[in-house]
Amino acid sequence: MDATLRANAESLRALVASSQVSPVAFRAAVERVPLGERDAWLDCVFGLDALPDDGPELPQGCVPYLPSSVDVLLRVVDRARVRADDVFVDIGAGLGRAAALVHLATGAAARGVEVQPALVRAARALSARLNLPRLSFVEGDARARGDTWVNGSVFFLYCPFSGERLARVLTDLERVARARPIRVCCVDVPLPPSTWLTLASPPSRDLAIYRSARE
């Protein structure tokens, strides 16, 4: 990333931390950055360094942490129609990058659930660094932390796990869907057939947006 983009990112970080950037302005700032530079630029805005190594707390069957691209996250925002009155929940939140971007680009409250303590600490530090009180993170196995997302309306899964763990999380999400319409956004994770979910996005090789049947 060249010096101009780095300076732009650092300037935007300061504006975000002082609550001087609206969702519209943040989205516009992202879109002004060339496509191939957006991920590195966003990491600079967020003050994120190299990816950390996964710790021993990562359960067997879970995918090592890998951040989702800016391009995918903007498509999630658009195709799931994330609004300021939504609550965005990132299941397997890692460093908090996806939750932070969606929050800043839409105004929606955002919450992350992450099993690795070191990543949770880094995500909370990100929230503090950018002064984002509506961005929060909880530590724990997603199978046992369904209590943390009962008020969620948009759920994001970037290939965090499969098998029994995924089935358990979907059961918890179905309970939420009985109370309110929700959207489930999946990147590189095929969901098993579910009568309560309907595919709502156009065909895509990496992203699928589902809506609960009540919506």
Side-chain angles (χ1 to χ4, degrees):
M1 183 170 57
D2 65 28
T4 300
L5 277 179
R6 182 170 298 278
N8 171 271
E10 292 172 349
S11 174
L12 184 62
R13 185 196 311 158
L15 291 173
V16 168
S18 58
S19 303
Q20 296 184 56
V21 181
S22 69
V24 171
F26 185 84
R27 175 73 183 259
V30 174
E31 292 181 341
R32 284 194 294 270
V33 177
L35 280 172
E37 301 281 358
R38 286 181 185 174
D39 287 292
W41 174 86
L42 185 72
D43 287 344
C44 187
V45 173
F46 289 171
L48 298 175
D49 297 319
L51 291 181
D53 292 331
D54 290 291
E57 302 86 2
L58 184 68
Q60 185 175 3
C62 287
V63 176
Y65 173 62
L66 182 66
S68 183
S69 72
V70 171
D71 170 66
V72 166
L73 293 171
L74 292 182
R75 283 189 284 140
V76 166
V77 165
D78 293 339
R79 295 184 185 182
R81 300 180 183 179
V82 184
R83 305 175 296 265
D85 59 351
D86 278 311
V87 176
F88 179 85
V89 180
D90 185 0
I91 300 175
L95 295 174
R97 189 173 181 272
L101 185 154
V102 172
H103 168 61
L104 288 168
T106 66
R111 180 173 302 136
V113 181
E114 172 57 48
V115 71
Q116 298 193 64
L119 297 184
V120 175
R121 289 193 295 272
R124 289 172 177 167
L126 166 64
S127 179
R129 186 162 58 247
L130 297 181
N131 188 29
L132 300 175
R134 299 183 73 221
L135 174 66
S136 61
F137 299 91
V138 296
E139 179 185 330
D141 190 323
R143 292 181 302 178
R145 295 311 309 261
D147 61 304
T148 66
W149 62 57
V150 292
N151 65 337
S153 56
V154 182
F155 296 85
F156 179 67
L157 295 92
Y158 177 22
C159 193
F161 37 64
S162 58
E164 182 274 334
R165 183 171 268 103
L166 178 59
R168 173 64 181 272
V169 167
L170 288 175
T171 297
D172 288 342
L173 292 180
E174 184 179 7
R175 294 193 186 100
V176 178
R178 292 173 187 160
R180 74 179 62 82
I182 68 172
R183 284 143 281 165
V184 181
C185 311
C186 301
V187 178
D188 292 335
V189 54
L191 295 187
S194 301
T195 58
W196 63 277
L197 285 175
T198 301
L199 186 64
S201 61
S204 172
R205 64 177 177 80
D206 57 352
L207 174 63
I209 308 292
Y210 298 86
R211 295 183 181 273
S212 59
R214 291 168 56 91
E215 191 167 10

